[in-house]
Structure formats: C-alpha cells, structure tokens
Amino acid sequence: MNRNMLRRLASALTLVVGLLTSGAVSGNSAIAQAEPPAPVAALDVDRYLGTWYQLAAVPQFFNLVCARDTRAEYTLDARGDVAVHNSCTTWSGGANDIRGTATVADPSTRAQLHVSFPGVPTQDARYGPANYVVTALGADYSWALVTDPYRLSGFVLSRTPALEPAEWLRIRAAIAAVGENACWYLTSPTRGGIEAIGPLCAARVAAGG
C-alpha cells in the first residue's frame, strides 16, 4: 500500500468529517428533511450507456477499497435493464470489481434507477425504490452528477479522465443546486486526470489542477 496516498486519504476524510459536523454544513438536518433531489427532466438511457470515469465521490464504505481509476460500465442486458460493472485499482495495486443491475424506477424521466448487486446485503433485490438519481448532465452526456433520494451519496462521472475548469465550475454549481456541498466530495485519482485526493471544494480542483 502506498503510505503517502493512504495519509492523503486519511487527511481528506478527516477534513470531510470535520466539515460534516461543523457550521460549514450546518444545513444538514434541513437537507435530510427536504424533498428528494429532482432528477433531470429526461434521461436517454441509450446515450447514458458506456464507460464512465468516477472523478469525485462522497466517501462510502464500499468505495474506500479503491485507490484510483474507478470506472463504471453500463450496457443493456437480455431483459432490457442496465448491466452495471464497477471496477477500480486497489491500494495494493490489484483489481477490484463488482457487477449488478440498474432498473428504471421512474418511467416518467427514466433518470431515477434502482441499482442492485447480488449478494450485497440490502442491495441484492433486482427491483425496488430508486437509489440512483441522475440530477445533472453535461452537454452531449459528457459528465453526470448522481446522488440518491436522501443525498447520502454523490458521484461525479465523466466520459473522459479529465475535465476542463469550466466543466468543474458547472459541476460544483449543479452540486449546490441539488442541495449538496462540494466539500463532501473527494476527488478520485484517475490516470490522465486529477492525481490528488482532496475535497472538491478546493480551489485547485475547481481550476482543474
């Protein structure tokens, strides 16, 4: 395990935890009681298929094993649902992946889906309520902002490993518009993109550094 990377992760996580318990995010209780985040008006599932690079995410227990190069690949399965293949490189340099299924839980916008992973407690049911909400999309589906009805998760996905500074500014605005805080998100090291782990609200990240 790379000790420098581990120290940076620990430092970044400590900062996020501090922000979550400080006045910087004092609106947390209000957010928890707010209406669920609004999905995009319409999601073209066919255009959404393909490979996405995770460039930032709200830390979750299941993604702490990932050190870098976290990706999601979406394809249609035999039932017409979305086959999910998430993968990353671990802290020891090995590969980690998991496969699941995403089913549309909101036929109106098709932007709210239920993602399931067989064998994972509480996530193994193929059908159920939405737990994956696409709340913003870049031009030509170049990037996507994803959260859940309770705003407990968050993912910045991109078709490319890196984004221009202007796109990062749009993403930060989208995060604020959905009622989240960019400081909750940690950048995800990606080959060809951002190499450091740090809060997305940091100025150097907003500048694409």
Side-chain angles (χ1 to χ4, degrees), residues 62 84-86 97-101 114-126 131:
F62 56 79
V84 177
H85 181 203
N86 294 339
D97 74 328
I98 189 170
R99 295 178 184 271
T101 304
H114 174 78
V115 180
S116 60
F117 297 99
V120 177
T122 75
Q123 289 187 286
D124 56 354
R126 184 180 179 99
N131 57 11

Side-chain angles (χ1 to χ4, degrees), residues 31-191:
I31 288 173
Q33 298 173 11
E35 290 295 319
V40 294
L43 179 71
D44 184 332
V45 175
D46 288 336
R47 292 182 67 189
Y48 198 71
L49 299 176
T51 300
W52 291 95
Y53 297 87
Q54 177 184 296
L55 301 190
V58 175
Q60 305 287 324
F61 74 92
F62 56 79
N63 62 18
L64 292 181
V65 68
C66 295
R68 58 179 304 109
D69 299 324
T70 302
R71 301 194 309 176
E73 296 180 32
Y74 301 142
T75 57
L76 284 183
D77 66 13
R79 298 191 193 183
D81 294 324
V82 178
V84 177
H85 181 203
N86 294 339
S87 63
C88 70
T89 299
T90 67
W91 293 98
S92 62
N96 182 75
D97 74 328
I98 189 170
R99 295 178 184 271
T101 304
T103 58
V104 174
D106 171 15
S108 177
T109 69
R110 299 179 67 81
Q112 300 187 89
L113 301 97
H114 174 78
V115 180
S116 60
F117 297 99
V120 177
T122 75
Q123 289 187 286
D124 56 354
R126 184 180 179 99
Y127 300 101
N131 57 11
Y132 181 110
V133 183
V134 181
T135 62
L137 285 167
D140 298 324
Y141 285 56
S142 57
W143 59 264
L145 178 66
V146 178
T147 184
D148 65 79
Y150 303 100
R151 299 179 178 85
L152 298 177
S153 63
F155 304 92
V156 175
L157 306 178
S158 171
R159 295 298 192 181
T160 56
L163 289 171
E164 294 296 325
E167 294 292 80
W168 278 116
L169 292 176
R170 293 186 184 97
I171 289 167
R172 291 183 66 189
I175 289 172
V178 81
E180 292 185 325
N181 189 312
C183 292
W184 303 351
Y185 288 70
L186 292 183
T187 53
S188 303
T190 307
R191 190 180 309 278

Side-chain angles (χ1 to χ4, degrees), residues 55-56 163 165 168 172 187 194 196-209:
L55 301 190
L163 289 171
W168 278 116
R172 291 183 66 189
T187 53
I194 294 172
I197 298 173
L200 187 55
C201 59
R204 59 183 178 82
V205 172

